[in-house]
């Protein structure tokens, strides 16, 4: 086993365990913290896929901002930080059945696809993906229009957030 | 390729190990005498009033939301900043338009008083 495989397997296992804990833990704040672990595992997977910029985005945006927003939202909405109700309701077996059928169907559909066993194409070494992205963001024959539209989207989100959440005295 | 990240891995390992070590040492050597007074939430020496888990003011949520939006702006700035000398005036103008559009939102939040804490 190469070191790369070892790191991948450890990260994947940690990510899966953390993702499982997110939905099973009783304490919502703990669930949010497990979510941080899950997101961090995904960041490591991005690194393993030779996408360091995405890994940075994952840490800065998802862990640094969105997980913090989740934690604030939990503290805002839960008077008691602990959920007292049951975690399963009466329809749990139906949900399990549907999940199982979906999984079985997808498995059956993809069993002839050779992507699981085929050796993947080597990743682009991508020394300079970041500057390529920077150039693509502002060059007219690439993403300059989506880039500017993204700023309008962010503006709408900003104004909307202030309008909805802020009440003037 | 992984060797580039060895410093980050060492940092993660050391910080986790140090945090774990501090907890274990505290468990091993710290004296534990539990009394009712000691297990009370600390509130500057006085007897605490009301429930310990109070609702946070909604303002924290608003600040976190504004933080996300400007965080994403930074994410757009980063790849641009790496190559901005090569992009010339055109790239600079593009980024200025991007920032100016977001500045409108910033001014709106400012004027509405969303950035005030009072």
């Amino acid at each position: 086993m190469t070191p790369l495989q070892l790191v991948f397997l450890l990260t994947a296992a940690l990510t899966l365990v953390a993702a499982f804990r997110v939905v099973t833990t009783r304490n919502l704040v703990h669930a949010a913290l497990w979510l941080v672990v899950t997101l961090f595992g995904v960041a490591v997977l991005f690194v393993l896929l030779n996408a360091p910029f995405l890994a940075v985005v994952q840490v800065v945006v998802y862990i640094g901002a969105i997980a913090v927003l989740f934690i604030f939202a939990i503290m805002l909405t839960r008077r008691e930080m602990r959920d007292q109700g049951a975690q399963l309701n009466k329809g749990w077996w139906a949900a399990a059945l549907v999940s199982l059928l979906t999984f079985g169907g997808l498995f059956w559909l993809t069993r002839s696809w050779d992507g699981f066993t085929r050796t993947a194409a080597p990743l682009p070494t991508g020394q300079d993906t970041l500057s390529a992205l920077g150039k693509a963001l502002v060059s007219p024959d690439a993403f300059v229009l989506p880039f500017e539209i993204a700023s309008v989207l962010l503006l709408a989100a900003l104004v909307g957030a202030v309008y909805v959440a802020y009440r003037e005295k | 390729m992984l060797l580039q990240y060895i410093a980050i891995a060492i940092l993660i390992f050391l910080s986790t190990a140090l945090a774990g070590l501090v907890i274990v040492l505290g468990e091993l050597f710290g004296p534990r005498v539990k009394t009712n007074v000691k297990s009370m939430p600390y509130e500057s020496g006085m007897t605490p009033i009301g429930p310990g888990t109070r609702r946070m003011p909604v303002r924290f949520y608003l600040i976190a939301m504004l933080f996300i939006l400007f965080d994403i702006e930074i994410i757009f700035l980063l790849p641009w900043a790496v190559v901005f000398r090569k992009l010339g005036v055109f790239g600079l103008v593009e980024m200025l338009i991007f920032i100016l559009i977001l500045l409108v939102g910033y001014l709106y939040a400012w004027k509405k008083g969303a950035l005030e804490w009072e």
Side-chain angles (χ1 to χ4, degrees):
Chain A
M1 199 189 293
T2 63
L4 200 65
Q5 281 172 320
L6 189 69
V7 172
F8 170 74
L9 286 177
L10 284 177
T11 313
L14 179 73
T15 310
L16 281 178
V17 168
F20 188 71
R21 294 294 294 152
V22 172
V23 289
T24 54
T25 186
R26 306 285 315 190
N27 189 324
L28 271 177
V29 177
H30 290 177
L33 295 177
W34 278 112
L35 184 69
V36 170
V37 177
T38 314
L39 293 171
F40 186 77
V42 175
V44 176
L45 293 181
F46 278 139
V47 166
L48 294 177
L49 285 171
N50 243 344
F53 180 64
L54 277 184
V56 169
V57 171
Q58 181 80 13
V59 171
V60 169
V61 174
Y62 281 85
I63 298 177
I66 291 178
V68 169
L69 188 71
F70 278 7
I71 291 169
F72 277 147
I74 289 165
M75 293 200 280
L76 204 71
T77 49
R78 289 258 157 215
R79 203 167 271 275
E80 294 286 311
M81 302 266 181
R82 210 172 289 274
D83 197 340
Q84 310 287 349
Q87 276 181 311
L88 297 172
N89 63 12
K90 267 183 275 177
W92 70 268
W93 58 271
L97 192 68
V98 169
S99 308
L100 200 67
L101 282 179
T102 312
F103 177 75
L106 284 174
F107 186 75
W108 189 74
L109 279 175
T110 54
R111 77 196 187 291
S112 58
W113 186 52
D114 63 343
F116 292 122
T117 49
R118 186 180 50 201
T119 314
L123 292 166
T125 40
Q127 283 305 315
D128 227 17
T129 47
L130 189 56
S131 41
L133 181 66
K135 277 179 197 145
L137 271 185
V138 290
S139 76
D141 46 355
F143 303 117
V144 68
L145 194 62
F147 171 64
E148 297 298 348
I149 290 174
S151 76
V152 178
L153 185 70
L154 285 175
L155 173 67
L158 220 167
V159 172
V162 173
Y163 185 78
V164 171
Y166 186 72
R167 196 169 296 122
E168 269 172 291
K169 295 274 140 37
Chain B
M1 181 214 103
L2 276 181
L3 284 179
Q4 293 174 44
Y5 297 96
I6 199 84
I8 299 177
I10 291 172
L11 183 66
I12 290 170
F13 173 76
L14 280 182
S15 49
T16 316
L18 185 65
L21 186 75
V22 169
I23 291 171
V24 168
L25 285 181
E27 284 289 316
L28 281 180
F29 299 114
R32 273 185 300 270
V33 185
K34 280 193 176 153
T35 64
N36 271 340
V37 178
K38 268 192 183 175
S39 58
M40 249 189 328
Y42 181 72
E43 194 162 292
S44 311
M46 64 181 276
T47 312
I49 306 162
T53 54
R54 235 181 309 168
R55 246 187 74 158
M56 307 257 301
V58 73
R59 203 164 289 142
F60 282 105
Y61 192 74
L62 185 63
I63 293 289
M65 212 129 64
L66 294 180
F67 174 63
I68 286 187
L69 293 164
F70 290 111
D71 215 27
I72 292 169
E73 185 184 353
I74 287 172
I75 287 299
F76 277 110
L77 274 169
L78 184 63
W80 172 83
V82 172
V83 284
F84 92 105
R85 281 188 196 283
K86 287 185 209 155
L87 293 171
V89 179
F90 187 73
L92 184 67
V93 170
E94 285 299 335
M95 189 45 86
L96 277 180
I97 294 172
F98 180 81
I99 292 174
L100 276 177
I101 292 174
L102 274 172
L103 205 62
V104 176
Y106 180 71
L107 287 177
Y108 177 75
W110 194 355
K111 278 287 156 201
K112 283 277 277 189
L115 303 176
E116 311 271 324
W117 198 264
E118 86 240 8

